[in-house]
Amino acid sequence: MSVKTEYRLARRLAQLEPSATAAMNARVQQLRAEGIKVISFSVGEPDFNTPEPIKVAAIEAINKNRTHYTPAGGTLEVRKVIAARVSADQEIPYALGQITTTAGAKEGLYLAFQALCDEGDEAIIPAPYWVSYVEQARLAGATPITPQTTEATGFKVTPAQLQAALSPRTRVVMLNSPSNPTGAVYSADELAALADVLRESDAIIIADEIYDAISYVPYARWLRVAPDMADRTLIVNGAAKAYAMTGWRFGYVAGPQPIITAIKDIQSHTSTHTASITQDAAVKAYTPSAELDEAVQTMVAAFHKRRDLILSLLAEIPGVSCNVPDGAFYVFPNVTGLLNKPLKNGVVCATSDDLNNYLLDQAHIACVSGESFGAPGYIRLSYATSEDEIVEGMRRFRESVS
Ligand code: PMP
Ligand code: GLU
């Protein structure tokens, strides 16, 4: 084939941006391979290892040759365990036909958009938002509508903002609590007020609860507050964050049977299912166990301590201010005080994206700029890393901007 061949890619990819979080992670790996000691606050990934009993279950699965195809959407065993977990979480009974398991929550979300959206539909995705929501909506032909939340409301969408964003074309409304990137956690009252608005529309709510285990305030669940919305809610969750299982790729979607069946039908033509071994590991993770509860609580306690540590160190950096996040493992400081003025060596950053690059080049600390999350003026730091790295990383940050 001639090197001059021009590749014509599908039109729907014209606007596609690669995942900024995944791209930053790749850049960090590259710099480290070059011998540079980068401290990474970029990718949202627990630094803990998967708890031992889950690993043992996976090794047993291999040894027992549980390595064959499973039904699309997962084995009966894994869907039973997930149905029990979702029923307990939501305090609403979920049947097996209402559950599918996926290669991470990310695939679950992608499939949900594919199953629900047509060209011309709108998806309401409050900003700041997790990078993949808007791209997944666009890949499904939908237009993202991104009401801008602010620090004043703790980065939570207000009923008035939601009302203004709704239109006859609204197909999907994203709710993500605790939130990536802001760590915002909606209270029961706040969710109830949003439910009052959403009852007037026929939009499907996608509740991404992947950080549900990591809340430092009492966690209010959407469907416990608005159980009458269960027939138009998809719950998306996964094992990556709570069980430190990012690389295993396990997620699930729970919701009305016709939508779940449609998702499984797409799966039957695409990935079919996540790895059979991962499914057996997930059975272990989601089977009620005091030992695993304790392992999760230990990780959450560590995240809580690190949140307080990173907040106290950020507070010492002039030009930086930060909302207190109530959940997940991200801080989302406002860095506008560092823009458009000379930093060390006279460098001037006009945007938070420039500052993000500056921090990587000058201080060898990797963060993700707010631009990627629809919120210029901010940067996101994942503090799912050791206390030593947090202390050293914040020292480098302070030094490079003072
Ligand atoms: N939702 C949110 C809000 C996330 O931050 C992530 C990133 N891990 C995901 C979904 C996807 O998680 P995974 O595919 O690793 O389960
Ligand atoms: N969700 C994590 C993050 O936001 C992991 C990376 C990704 O899946 O995009 O950093």
Side-chain angles (χ1 to χ4, degrees):
M1 199 185 289
S2 150
V3 286
K4 286 191 178 152
T5 303
E6 287 211 1
Y7 294 98
R8 187 182 65 78
L9 297 177
R11 269 191 294 278
R12 66 182 175 285
L13 300 191
Q15 287 189 65
L16 183 71
E17 290 286 339
S19 163
T21 47
M24 199 58 171
N25 197 28
R27 240 175 116 185
V28 169
Q29 306 300 336
Q30 173 67 34
L31 287 170
R32 283 181 179 159
E34 290 166 14
I36 296 171
K37 290 203 166 41
V38 179
I39 296 183
S40 180
F41 299 100
S42 61
V43 73
E45 164 162 50
D47 58 329
F48 296 104
N49 292 320
T50 303
E52 215 48 41
I54 300 175
K55 295 199 283 191
V56 170
I59 292 164
E60 269 175 24
I62 296 175
N63 287 335
K64 289 185 180 156
N65 296 308
R66 289 177 57 81
T67 53
H68 299 272
Y69 283 135
T70 80
T75 60
L76 200 60
E77 294 94 311
V78 78
R79 283 184 296 123
K80 267 189 188 161
V81 171
I82 297 300
R85 166 62 71 96
V86 176
S87 304
D89 282 350
Q90 309 300 333
E91 294 181 330
I92 294 172
Y94 276 76
L96 275 187
Q98 293 183 272
I99 305 290
T100 188
T101 68
T102 55
K106 194 183 269 186
E107 191 200 21
L109 289 159
Y110 175 80
L111 294 168
F113 280 109
Q114 287 295 320
L116 294 172
C117 295
D118 276 318
E119 290 287 334
D121 286 342
E122 293 176 351
I124 298 181
I125 301 171
Y129 44 71
W130 179 50
V131 288
S132 295
Y133 297 150
V134 285
E135 302 299 340
Q136 293 188 346
R138 286 196 194 107
L139 283 171
T143 303
I145 305 294
T146 55
Q148 194 74 39
T149 70
T150 63
E151 287 173 59
T153 63
F155 293 113
K156 293 180 238 186
V157 71
T158 64
Q161 282 182 308
L162 190 56
Q163 184 74 61
L166 282 166
S167 90
R169 289 191 296 279
T170 308
R171 185 70 185 119
V172 164
V173 176
M174 274 305 313
L175 282 183
N176 174 217
S177 174
S179 148
N180 177 3
T182 67
V185 180
Y186 287 76
S187 70
D189 286 349
E190 287 161 344
L191 290 176
L194 297 182
D196 286 343
V197 174
L198 290 171
R199 277 192 195 97
E200 304 302 314
S201 86
D202 59 3
I204 302 283
I205 292 88
I206 302 181
D208 179 349
E209 301 189 342
I210 194 155
Y211 295 101
D212 58 355
I214 310 169
S215 182
Y216 315 120
V217 294
Y219 179 58
R221 239 179 249 281
W222 163 246
L223 282 185
R224 287 203 191 181
V225 173
D228 57 307
M229 303 290 272
D231 61 354
R232 33 195 200 95
T233 295
L234 287 181
I235 302 289
V236 179
N237 207 326
K241 316 295 170 172
Y243 295 104
M245 287 178 71
T246 47
W248 298 76
R249 312 311 299 135
F250 186 82
Y252 57 87
V253 188
Q257 181 153 345
I259 305 178
I260 298 299
T261 302
I263 289 177
K264 282 196 287 188
D265 289 348
I266 308 176
Q267 289 181 284
S268 77
H269 292 297
T270 52
S271 60
T272 318
H273 55 75
T274 193
S276 59
I277 297 146
T278 290
Q279 294 182 48
D280 278 4
V283 169
K284 187 71 192 177
Y286 287 94
T287 298
S289 126
E291 189 184 4
L292 282 176
D293 285 351
E294 203 186 308
V296 173
Q297 285 323 312
T298 303
M299 292 190 268
V300 174
F303 292 142
H304 196 166
K305 199 164 160 228
R306 295 169 188 183
R307 179 201 69 168
D308 294 344
L309 175 65
I310 200 164
L311 283 174
S312 70
L313 295 171
L314 280 170
E316 290 171 12
I317 305 178
V320 174
S321 64
C322 194
N323 254 31
V324 176
D326 284 330
F329 38 58
Y330 307 103
V331 283
F332 200 60
N334 182 327
V335 292
T336 47
L338 295 175
L339 305 182
N340 299 313
K341 63 179 200 199
L343 302 174
K344 216 176 142 191
N345 310 330
V347 176
V348 176
C349 295
T351 64
S352 43
D353 207 28
D354 293 345
L355 181 75
N356 196 51
N357 287 323
Y358 171 85
L359 290 174
L360 185 59
D361 295 339
Q362 295 285 324
H364 298 152
I365 62 170
C367 314
V368 185
S369 62
E371 279 85 343
S372 319
F373 306 100
Y378 296 83
I379 56 172
R380 188 195 79 174
L381 294 90
S382 162
Y383 55 81
T385 186
S386 72
E387 289 181 29
D388 286 350
E389 295 228 306
I390 291 172
V391 170
E392 171 58 13
M394 292 306 99
R395 188 196 65 74
R396 292 186 190 181
F397 189 162
R398 194 179 59 234
E399 209 240 354
S400 72
V401 298
S402 300

